[in-house]
Amino acid sequence: MQKARQAQDEALSLYPDHSRIDPALLALEHAMCLAQEHDATEACELARHTVLAIPEAHRTEILSVRAQEVINTLPARVRATRAVRDLGEVLPSRPAGRDRNGSRPSASWA
């Protein structure tokens, strides 16, 4: 995970100051790494801060989906913590075209 963080930091340094979405997505990838390392509080705080740093009018579906993936990565036993709830409160209830796990429904071929 350390190499992934270094690559994320290097990528962030290449973006101009006015760029918003791509750096936010990189920050959410960092939050995913933290979640996979079982640091639920830090992962959710970073994801929440990242979402709130983007003006509401510029919050894209992919941003919401990635932030929800941070929650989905966490073990069920920690999903009731305050940090997880706080992150969930800044996300739309369900991004358009996605189920409650953030996945697109599979096509029916019947």
Side-chain angles (χ1 to χ4, degrees):
M1 292 290 176
Q2 186 62 30
K3 286 183 181 184
R5 281 196 206 130
Q6 287 175 333
Q8 291 164 350
D9 289 342
E10 288 174 24
L12 281 172
S13 72
L14 299 175
Y15 282 97
D17 291 336
H18 65 275
S19 186
R20 293 185 177 160
I21 296 299
D22 289 336
L25 292 173
L26 284 171
L28 290 172
E29 289 297 325
H30 185 172
M32 290 283 295
C33 290
L34 291 169
Q36 290 170 354
E37 293 173 346
H38 306 292
D39 193 343
T41 299
E42 190 173 346
C44 290
E45 287 175 355
L46 174 58
R48 183 176 185 274
H49 173 77
T50 300
V51 170
L52 292 175
I54 302 295
E56 196 168 341
H58 296 279
R59 293 181 194 163
T60 61
E61 179 180 345
I62 189 66
L63 188 75
S64 298
V65 168
R66 293 290 185 194
Q68 182 62 50
E69 286 175 358
V70 172
I71 295 172
N72 295 347
T73 299
L74 297 169
R77 62 181 160 64
V78 299
R79 291 188 190 167
T81 63
R82 180 176 185 102
V84 175
R85 285 192 313 270
D86 288 348
L87 172 55
E89 288 175 2
V90 301
L91 300 178
S93 59
R94 189 177 304 165
R98 302 284 176 153
D99 67 16
R100 54 188 260 193
N101 294 319
S103 302
R104 291 197 181 276
S106 58
S108 173
W109 299 101

